[in-house]
Amino acid sequence: MGERTVVLGVIGADVHAVGLRVLDYVLRNAGFDVVNIGVLSSQEDFIKAAIESGARAILVSSLYGHAELDCKGFKEKLKEAGLEDIILYIGGNLGVGQKDWNEVEKKFKDLGFHRVYPPKTSPEDVVRDLKKDLGLE
């Protein structure tokens, strides 16, 4: 794997897979090497996949509204695993009864995520941002 390798998955007790499949397809068509760990994934699953594949980015999806709970301490675990420089994205329905989006975005940036996407974000926006953040443009 290499500079275009990313890990993609749904964190926590979430089984929403349709968006994950769409993102996987779009990323592959954009030339990325995708390690899709699927649904019901723990922080450790993401970390293990990133280490094994040499990924440069982790893309976390969550639609069931409990992402904050699922992602607490994730950045610290990444640092402990030697992945402090990995690019970290999250998107979806990140909170139950999502409040003000700016508040939600700030909360996840404070948790260490580089980019935070609301529901209905175009996959092409993610590809554009990923190319930019990985210096592939």
Side-chain angles (χ1 to χ4, degrees):
M1 299 279 173
E3 69 172 7
R4 301 179 76 87
T5 303
V6 300
V7 172
L8 176 65
V10 178
I11 199 162
D14 195 338
V15 296
H16 293 92
V18 174
L20 191 67
R21 288 192 190 112
V22 170
L23 201 49
D24 185 315
Y25 177 82
V26 171
L27 287 166
R28 287 179 194 278
N29 280 344
F32 288 94
D33 298 315
V34 179
V35 178
N36 186 338
I37 62 171
V39 300
L40 299 169
S41 302
S42 67
Q43 292 181 8
E44 292 77 15
D45 293 335
F46 283 94
I47 292 167
K48 182 178 179 207
I51 291 169
E52 288 176 356
S53 67
R56 295 189 58 213
I58 293 175
L59 287 69
V60 176
S61 176
S62 182
L63 282 174
Y64 79 139
H66 299 285
E68 183 180 2
L69 182 65
D70 293 334
C71 293
K72 278 202 168 131
F74 193 25
K75 188 66 176 177
E76 291 75 17
K77 287 181 184 173
L78 288 166
K79 285 179 186 172
E80 289 170 13
L83 298 172
E84 59 275 349
D85 295 329
I86 201 160
I87 300 294
L88 195 56
Y89 288 7
I90 190 165
N93 180 27
L94 304 178
V96 176
Q98 262 181 358
K99 313 155 190 89
D100 172 47
W101 178 252
N102 292 329
E103 184 182 316
V104 172
E105 183 178 35
K106 181 186 180 323
K107 187 181 298 180
F108 284 91
K109 286 197 170 184
D110 288 347
L111 287 173
F113 288 87
H114 297 92
R115 295 196 187 257
V116 183
Y117 298 98
K120 300 181 182 169
T121 296
S122 165
E124 288 76 17
D125 291 344
V126 176
V127 168
R128 181 197 66 233
D129 291 342
L130 199 51
K131 286 181 177 177
K132 179 179 175 186
D133 291 348
L134 295 177
L136 301 173
E137 292 190 318

